[in-house]
Amino acid sequence: MLVGMVMLALSACQQKPYPIFFLSEAESTEGTSTKFILMYNGRPYTRMPIVTHGNIASFHSFMSMQDGSYGVVFTLKKEWINRLYSATINRQGMLILPVVNGLAFQPLRIDEPIMDGKLVIWNGLNGYDLKQIARDIKPENPEMEKKRFQRKNPRPLPKLKKDAKNQKKDYTGRVIGEIFSSGS
């Protein structure tokens, strides 16, 4: 019984990962249930991510010249590099939508299959995002990343309406399928 209580206490203290995922643009919405499609800025994306935070091995950030925010290059784990290549091999011209903590960032256009296992968010992240990402994903240069960290989120998420009873929610309590614009 004591072991069970200790395990319960440890699991309650565990922090949830900072959600990062990349959605691929859907080829067509005809004949597809809306349960599998998410609309963002007038484009359909599949709800099943091609990459999530659990597939990422490391990251490094850079200062965006566009707006002074940070961009990030994510490097996938070896076993996921081939999956990304397979997911992008026949999708030239389609988009990949990066989403971090429910905020959508500038979509990436697939101009050729991604063979190096790297995905980029070009701008819009802040020091708080970098700090949260570093909890679960190994920074390639920890000293540099620590200098960029912020303790508080300068960009709080919008409040959600709590009126719908049967909406499915993810582990953060956010309605599944609700993605907010990052403003970039």
Side-chain angles (χ1 to χ4, degrees), residues 13-75:
C13 293
Q14 243 181 351
Q15 290 183 344
K16 295 175 182 169
Y18 203 59
I20 301 166
F21 52 91
F22 292 82
L23 304 173
S24 62
E25 185 177 5
E27 292 182 29
S28 171
T29 57
E30 290 183 30
T32 306
S33 170
T34 57
K35 293 179 184 178
F36 304 111
I37 298 294
L38 173 113
M39 294 300 288
Y40 181 76
N41 283 347
R43 290 189 173 264
Y45 293 90
T46 59
R47 286 186 189 261
M48 178 61 117
I50 57 173
V51 171
T52 67
H53 57 272
N55 311 130
I56 300 171
S58 63
F59 78 96
H60 71 270
S61 64
F62 57 90
M63 181 70 75
S64 169
M65 298 308 228
Q66 185 176 354
D67 61 3
S69 63
Y70 295 107
V72 174
V73 177
F74 294 106
T75 303

Coordinates of all heavy atoms in Angstrom, one line a residue, residues 13-75:
C13 N 3.5 14.6 -9.4 CA 4.5 15.6 -9.4 C 5.1 15.7 -10.8 O 5.8 16.7 -11.1 CB 5.6 15.3 -8.5 SG 5.1 15.4 -6.7
Q14 N 4.9 14.7 -11.7 CA 5.4 14.7 -13.0 C 4.8 15.9 -13.8 O 3.6 16.1 -13.8 CB 5.1 13.4 -13.7 CG 6.3 12.6 -14.1 CD 5.9 11.4 -14.8 OE1 4.8 11.0 -14.9 NE2 6.9 10.7 -15.3
Q15 N 5.7 16.6 -14.5 CA 5.2 17.7 -15.4 C 4.8 17.1 -16.8 O 5.5 16.2 -17.3 CB 6.3 18.7 -15.6 CG 6.6 19.5 -14.3 CD 7.6 20.6 -14.6 OE1 8.3 20.6 -15.6 NE2 7.7 21.5 -13.7
K16 N 3.8 17.7 -17.3 CA 3.4 17.2 -18.6 C 4.3 17.9 -19.7 O 4.7 19.0 -19.5 CB 1.9 17.7 -18.9 CG 1.0 16.9 -17.9 CD -0.4 17.5 -18.1 CE -1.3 16.8 -17.1 NZ -2.6 17.3 -17.0
P17 N 4.6 17.2 -20.8 CA 5.4 17.8 -21.8 C 4.8 19.0 -22.4 O 3.6 19.1 -22.5 CB 5.6 16.7 -22.8 CG 4.6 15.6 -22.5 CD 4.1 15.9 -21.1
Y18 N 5.6 19.9 -22.8 CA 5.2 21.1 -23.6 C 4.8 20.7 -25.0 O 5.6 20.2 -25.7 CB 6.3 22.1 -23.6 CG 5.9 23.6 -23.8 CD1 5.1 24.2 -22.9 CD2 6.4 24.3 -24.9 CE1 4.7 25.5 -23.1 CE2 6.0 25.6 -25.0 CZ 5.2 26.2 -24.1 OH 4.9 27.6 -24.3
P19 N 3.5 20.7 -25.3 CA 3.0 20.1 -26.6 C 3.6 20.8 -27.8 O 3.4 22.0 -28.0 CB 1.5 20.2 -26.5 CG 1.2 21.3 -25.5 CD 2.4 21.4 -24.6
I20 N 4.3 20.0 -28.6 CA 4.8 20.5 -29.9 C 4.4 19.4 -30.9 O 4.6 18.2 -30.7 CB 6.3 20.5 -29.9 CG1 6.8 21.5 -28.8 CG2 6.9 20.9 -31.2 CD1 8.3 21.3 -28.5
F21 N 3.8 19.9 -32.0 CA 3.5 18.9 -33.1 C 3.4 19.6 -34.4 O 3.3 20.8 -34.5 CB 2.2 18.1 -32.8 CG 1.0 18.9 -32.4 CD1 0.1 19.4 -33.4 CD2 0.7 19.3 -31.1 CE1 -1.0 20.1 -33.1 CE2 -0.4 20.0 -30.8 CZ -1.3 20.4 -31.8
F22 N 3.5 18.8 -35.4 CA 3.5 19.3 -36.8 C 2.4 18.6 -37.5 O 2.4 17.3 -37.6 CB 4.9 19.1 -37.5 CG 6.0 19.9 -36.9 CD1 6.6 19.5 -35.8 CD2 6.3 21.1 -37.5 CE1 7.6 20.3 -35.2 CE2 7.4 21.9 -37.0 CZ 8.0 21.5 -35.8
L23 N 1.5 19.3 -38.1 CA 0.3 18.7 -38.8 C 0.6 18.9 -40.3 O 1.1 19.9 -40.8 CB -1.0 19.5 -38.5 CG -1.3 19.5 -37.0 CD1 -2.6 20.4 -36.8 CD2 -1.6 18.1 -36.5
S24 N 0.2 17.9 -41.1 CA 0.3 18.0 -42.6 C -1.0 18.4 -43.2 O -2.1 18.1 -42.7 CB 0.8 16.6 -43.2 OG -0.2 15.7 -42.9
E25 N -0.9 19.2 -44.2 CA -2.0 19.7 -45.0 C -2.8 18.5 -45.6 O -2.1 17.6 -46.1 CB -1.6 20.6 -46.0 CG -2.8 21.3 -46.8 CD -2.4 22.3 -47.8 OE1 -1.2 22.5 -48.0 OE2 -3.3 22.9 -48.4
A26 N -4.1 18.4 -45.5 CA -4.9 17.4 -46.0 C -5.0 17.6 -47.5 O -5.1 18.7 -48.0 CB -6.3 17.3 -45.4
E27 N -4.9 16.5 -48.3 CA -5.0 16.6 -49.7 C -6.4 16.9 -50.2 O -6.5 17.7 -51.1 CB -4.5 15.2 -50.3 CG -3.1 15.0 -50.1 CD -2.6 13.7 -50.8 OE1 -3.2 13.3 -51.8 OE2 -1.7 13.1 -50.3
S28 N -7.4 16.4 -49.5 CA -8.8 16.7 -49.9 C -9.6 16.5 -48.7 O -9.4 15.7 -47.8 CB -9.2 15.7 -51.0 OG -10.6 15.8 -51.2
T29 N -10.7 17.2 -48.6 CA -11.7 17.1 -47.5 C -12.9 16.3 -48.0 O -13.8 16.0 -47.2 CB -12.1 18.4 -47.0 OG1 -12.7 19.2 -48.0 CG2 -10.9 19.1 -46.3
E30 N -13.0 16.0 -49.3 CA -14.1 15.3 -49.8 C -14.2 13.9 -49.3 O -13.2 13.1 -49.3 CB -14.1 15.2 -51.3 CG -14.4 16.6 -52.0 CD -14.4 16.5 -53.5 OE1 -14.8 15.4 -54.0 OE2 -14.0 17.5 -54.1
G31 N -15.3 13.5 -48.7 CA -15.5 12.1 -48.2 C -14.7 11.9 -46.9 O -14.7 10.8 -46.4
T32 N -14.1 12.9 -46.3 CA -13.4 12.8 -45.1 C -14.2 13.4 -43.9 O -14.7 14.5 -44.0 CB -12.0 13.5 -45.1 OG1 -11.3 13.1 -46.3 CG2 -11.2 13.3 -43.9
S33 N -14.3 12.6 -42.8 CA -15.1 13.1 -41.7 C -14.4 14.3 -41.1 O -13.1 14.4 -41.1 CB -15.2 12.0 -40.6 OG -15.7 12.5 -39.4
T34 N -15.1 15.3 -40.6 CA -14.6 16.4 -39.9 C -13.8 16.1 -38.6 O -13.1 16.9 -38.1 CB -15.6 17.5 -39.6 OG1 -16.7 16.9 -38.8 CG2 -16.2 18.0 -40.9
K35 N -14.0 14.8 -38.1 CA -13.3 14.4 -37.0 C -11.8 14.2 -37.3 O -11.0 14.3 -36.4 CB -13.8 13.0 -36.5 CG -15.2 13.1 -35.9 CD -15.7 11.7 -35.5 CE -17.1 11.7 -35.1 NZ -17.6 10.4 -34.7
F36 N -11.4 14.1 -38.5 CA -10.1 13.8 -38.9 C -9.4 15.1 -39.5 O -8.2 15.0 -39.8 CB -10.0 12.7 -39.9 CG -10.5 11.4 -39.3 CD1 -11.7 10.9 -39.8 CD2 -9.9 10.8 -38.2 CE1 -12.2 9.7 -39.3 CE2 -10.5 9.6 -37.7 CZ -11.6 9.1 -38.2
I37 N -10.2 16.1 -39.7 CA -9.7 17.3 -40.4 C -9.8 18.5 -39.4 O -10.8 18.7 -38.8 CB -10.5 17.6 -41.7 CG1 -10.3 16.5 -42.7 CG2 -10.1 18.9 -42.3 CD1 -8.9 16.3 -43.2
L38 N -8.8 19.4 -39.5 CA -8.8 20.6 -38.7 C -8.6 21.8 -39.7 O -7.7 21.7 -40.5 CB -7.7 20.6 -37.7 CG -7.4 21.8 -36.9 CD1 -7.7 21.5 -35.5 CD2 -6.0 22.2 -37.1
M39 N -9.5 22.8 -39.6 CA -9.3 23.9 -40.5 C -8.5 25.0 -39.8 O -8.8 25.3 -38.7 CB -10.7 24.5 -41.0 CG -11.5 23.5 -41.8 SD -10.7 23.0 -43.4 CE -10.8 24.6 -44.3
Y40 N -7.5 25.5 -40.5 CA -6.7 26.6 -40.0 C -6.4 27.6 -41.1 O -5.8 27.2 -42.1 CB -5.4 26.1 -39.3 CG -4.7 27.3 -38.7 CD1 -5.1 27.9 -37.5 CD2 -3.5 27.8 -39.3 CE1 -4.4 28.9 -37.0 CE2 -2.8 28.8 -38.8 CZ -3.2 29.4 -37.6 OH -2.6 30.5 -37.1
N41 N -6.8 28.8 -41.0 CA -6.6 29.9 -42.0 C -7.1 29.4 -43.4 O -6.5 29.6 -44.4 CB -5.2 30.3 -42.1 CG -4.8 31.2 -41.0 OD1 -5.6 31.8 -40.3 ND2 -3.5 31.5 -40.8
G42 N -8.3 28.7 -43.4 CA -8.9 28.3 -44.6 C -8.3 27.1 -45.3 O -8.7 26.7 -46.4
R43 N -7.3 26.4 -44.6 CA -6.7 25.2 -45.2 C -7.0 24.1 -44.3 O -7.0 24.2 -43.0 CB -5.2 25.4 -45.3 CG -4.8 26.4 -46.4 CD -3.3 26.3 -46.6 NE -2.9 27.1 -47.7 CZ -2.7 26.6 -48.9 NH1 -2.8 25.4 -49.2 NH2 -2.2 27.4 -49.9
P44 N -7.2 22.9 -44.9 CA -7.5 21.7 -44.0 C -6.2 21.0 -43.7 O -5.3 20.8 -44.5 CB -8.3 20.8 -45.0 CG -7.8 21.2 -46.4 CD -7.5 22.6 -46.3
Y45 N -6.1 20.6 -42.4 CA -4.9 19.8 -41.9 C -5.4 18.6 -41.2 O -6.5 18.6 -40.6 CB -4.1 20.7 -40.9 CG -3.4 21.9 -41.5 CD1 -4.0 23.1 -41.6 CD2 -2.1 21.7 -42.1 CE1 -3.4 24.2 -42.1 CE2 -1.5 22.8 -42.7 CZ -2.2 24.1 -42.7 OH -1.6 25.1 -43.3
T46 N -4.6 17.5 -41.4 CA -5.0 16.3 -40.7 C -4.8 16.4 -39.2 O -3.8 17.1 -38.8 CB -4.2 15.1 -41.2 OG1 -2.8 15.3 -41.0 CG2 -4.5 14.8 -42.7
R47 N -5.7 15.9 -38.4 CA -5.5 16.0 -36.9 C -4.4 15.1 -36.4 O -3.9 15.3 -35.3 CB -6.8 15.6 -36.2 CG -7.9 16.6 -36.4 CD -9.1 16.2 -35.5 NE -10.2 17.1 -35.8 CZ -10.5 18.1 -35.0 NH1 -9.9 18.4 -34.0 NH2 -11.6 18.9 -35.4
M48 N -4.0 14.1 -37.2 CA -3.0 13.2 -36.7 C -1.6 13.8 -37.1 O -1.3 14.0 -38.2 CB -3.1 11.9 -37.4 CG -2.0 10.9 -37.1 SD -2.0 10.5 -35.3 CE -2.4 8.8 -35.4
P49 N -0.8 14.2 -36.1 CA 0.5 14.9 -36.4 C 1.4 13.9 -37.0 O 1.4 12.7 -36.8 CB 1.0 15.3 -35.0 CG -0.1 15.1 -34.0 CD -1.1 14.1 -34.6
I50 N 2.3 14.5 -37.9 CA 3.3 13.7 -38.5 C 4.6 13.6 -37.5 O 5.3 12.7 -37.6 CB 3.8 14.1 -39.9 CG1 4.2 15.6 -39.9 CG2 2.6 13.9 -40.9 CD1 4.8 16.0 -41.2
V51 N 4.7 14.6 -36.7 CA 5.8 14.7 -35.7 C 5.2 15.3 -34.4 O 4.4 16.3 -34.5 CB 7.0 15.5 -36.2 CG1 8.0 15.7 -35.1 CG2 7.6 14.9 -37.4
T52 N 5.6 14.7 -33.2 CA 5.2 15.3 -31.9 C 6.5 15.5 -31.1 O 7.6 15.0 -31.5 CB 4.3 14.4 -31.2 OG1 4.9 13.2 -30.8 CG2 3.0 14.1 -32.0
H53 N 6.4 16.1 -30.0 CA 7.5 16.4 -29.1 C 8.3 15.1 -28.7 O 9.5 15.1 -28.5 CB 7.1 17.2 -27.8 CG 6.1 16.5 -27.0 ND1 4.8 16.7 -27.3 CD2 6.2 15.6 -26.0 CE1 4.1 16.0 -26.4 NE2 4.9 15.3 -25.7
G54 N 7.6 14.0 -28.6 CA 8.2 12.7 -28.3 C 9.1 12.1 -29.4 O 9.9 11.2 -29.2
N55 N 9.0 12.7 -30.6 CA 9.8 12.2 -31.8 C 11.1 13.0 -31.9 O 11.9 12.8 -32.8 CB 9.0 12.3 -33.1 CG 7.6 11.6 -32.9 OD1 6.7 12.2 -33.3 ND2 7.6 10.4 -32.4
I56 N 11.2 14.1 -31.1 CA 12.3 15.1 -31.3 C 13.5 14.7 -30.4 O 13.3 14.5 -29.2 CB 11.8 16.5 -31.1 CG1 10.7 16.8 -32.1 CG2 12.9 17.5 -31.2 CD1 9.9 18.1 -31.8
A57 N 14.7 14.6 -30.9 CA 15.9 14.3 -30.1 C 16.5 15.6 -29.5 O 16.9 15.5 -28.4 CB 16.9 13.6 -31.0
S58 N 16.6 16.7 -30.3 CA 17.3 17.8 -29.8 C 16.8 19.1 -30.5 O 16.0 19.0 -31.5 CB 18.8 17.7 -30.0 OG 19.1 17.6 -31.3
F59 N 17.2 20.2 -30.0 CA 16.8 21.5 -30.7 C 17.9 22.5 -30.5 O 18.7 22.4 -29.6 CB 15.4 22.0 -30.2 CG 15.5 22.7 -28.8 CD1 15.7 24.1 -28.8 CD2 15.5 22.0 -27.6 CE1 15.8 24.7 -27.5 CE2 15.6 22.6 -26.4 CZ 15.7 24.0 -26.4
H60 N 17.9 23.5 -31.4 CA 18.7 24.7 -31.1 C 17.9 25.9 -31.6 O 17.1 25.8 -32.6 CB 20.1 24.7 -31.7 CG 20.1 24.7 -33.2 ND1 20.0 23.6 -34.0 CD2 20.2 25.8 -34.0 CE1 20.1 24.0 -35.3 NE2 20.2 25.3 -35.3
S61 N 18.0 27.0 -30.9 CA 17.2 28.2 -31.2 C 18.1 29.2 -31.9 O 19.3 29.1 -31.9 CB 16.6 28.8 -30.0 OG 17.6 29.3 -29.1
F62 N 17.5 30.2 -32.6 CA 18.2 31.3 -33.2 C 17.3 32.5 -33.2 O 16.1 32.4 -33.0 CB 18.6 30.9 -34.7 CG 17.4 30.6 -35.5 CD1 16.7 31.5 -36.2 CD2 16.9 29.2 -35.6 CE1 15.6 31.2 -37.0 CE2 15.8 28.9 -36.4 CZ 15.1 29.9 -37.1
M63 N 17.9 33.6 -33.2 CA 17.2 34.9 -33.2 C 16.7 35.2 -34.6 O 17.4 35.1 -35.6 CB 18.1 36.1 -32.8 CG 17.5 37.4 -32.7 SD 16.3 37.6 -31.3 CE 17.5 37.7 -30.0
S64 N 15.4 35.5 -34.7 CA 14.7 35.8 -35.9 C 15.0 37.2 -36.3 O 14.8 38.1 -35.5 CB 13.2 35.5 -35.8 OG 12.6 36.0 -37.0
M65 N 15.5 37.4 -37.5 CA 15.7 38.8 -38.0 C 14.5 39.5 -38.4 O 14.4 40.7 -38.4 CB 16.7 38.7 -39.2 CG 18.0 38.1 -38.9 SD 18.7 39.0 -37.5 CE 20.3 39.3 -38.1
Q66 N 13.4 38.7 -38.6 CA 12.1 39.3 -39.0 C 11.5 40.1 -37.9 O 11.0 41.2 -38.1 CB 11.2 38.2 -39.4 CG 9.9 38.6 -40.0 CD 9.0 37.5 -40.5 OE1 9.5 36.3 -40.5 NE2 7.8 37.8 -40.9
D67 N 11.4 39.6 -36.6 CA 10.7 40.3 -35.6 C 11.4 40.3 -34.2 O 10.9 40.7 -33.2 CB 9.3 39.8 -35.4 CG 9.3 38.3 -35.1 OD1 10.3 37.7 -34.9 OD2 8.1 37.8 -35.0
G68 N 12.6 39.7 -34.1 CA 13.4 39.7 -32.9 C 12.9 38.6 -31.9 O 13.5 38.5 -30.8
S69 N 12.0 37.8 -32.4 CA 11.6 36.6 -31.6 C 12.6 35.5 -31.9 O 13.6 35.7 -32.5 CB 10.2 36.2 -31.9 OG 10.1 35.7 -33.3
Y70 N 12.3 34.3 -31.3 CA 13.2 33.2 -31.6 C 12.6 32.2 -32.6 O 11.4 32.0 -32.6 CB 13.5 32.4 -30.3 CG 14.3 33.2 -29.3 CD1 13.7 33.7 -28.2 CD2 15.6 33.5 -29.5 CE1 14.4 34.5 -27.3 CE2 16.4 34.3 -28.6 CZ 15.7 34.8 -27.5 OH 16.4 35.5 -26.6
G71 N 13.5 31.6 -33.3 CA 13.1 30.4 -34.2 C 13.8 29.2 -33.6 O 14.7 29.3 -32.8
V72 N 13.3 28.0 -34.0 CA 13.9 26.8 -33.5 C 14.1 25.8 -34.6 O 13.2 25.6 -35.4 CB 13.0 26.2 -32.4 CG1 13.6 24.8 -31.9 CG2 13.0 27.1 -31.2
V73 N 15.2 25.1 -34.6 CA 15.4 23.9 -35.5 C 15.3 22.7 -34.6 O 16.0 22.5 -33.6 CB 16.8 24.0 -36.2 CG1 17.0 22.7 -37.0 CG2 16.9 25.2 -37.0
F74 N 14.3 21.8 -34.9 CA 14.2 20.6 -34.2 C 14.8 19.4 -35.0 O 14.6 19.3 -36.2 CB 12.7 20.2 -34.0 CG 12.0 21.2 -33.1 CD1 11.1 22.1 -33.7 CD2 12.1 21.1 -31.8 CE1 10.4 23.0 -32.8 CE2 11.5 22.0 -30.9 CZ 10.6 23.0 -31.5
T75 N 15.6 18.6 -34.4 CA 16.2 17.4 -35.0 C 15.5 16.2 -34.5 O 15.4 16.0 -33.2 CB 17.7 17.4 -34.7 OG1 18.3 18.6 -35.1 CG2 18.4 16.2 -35.4

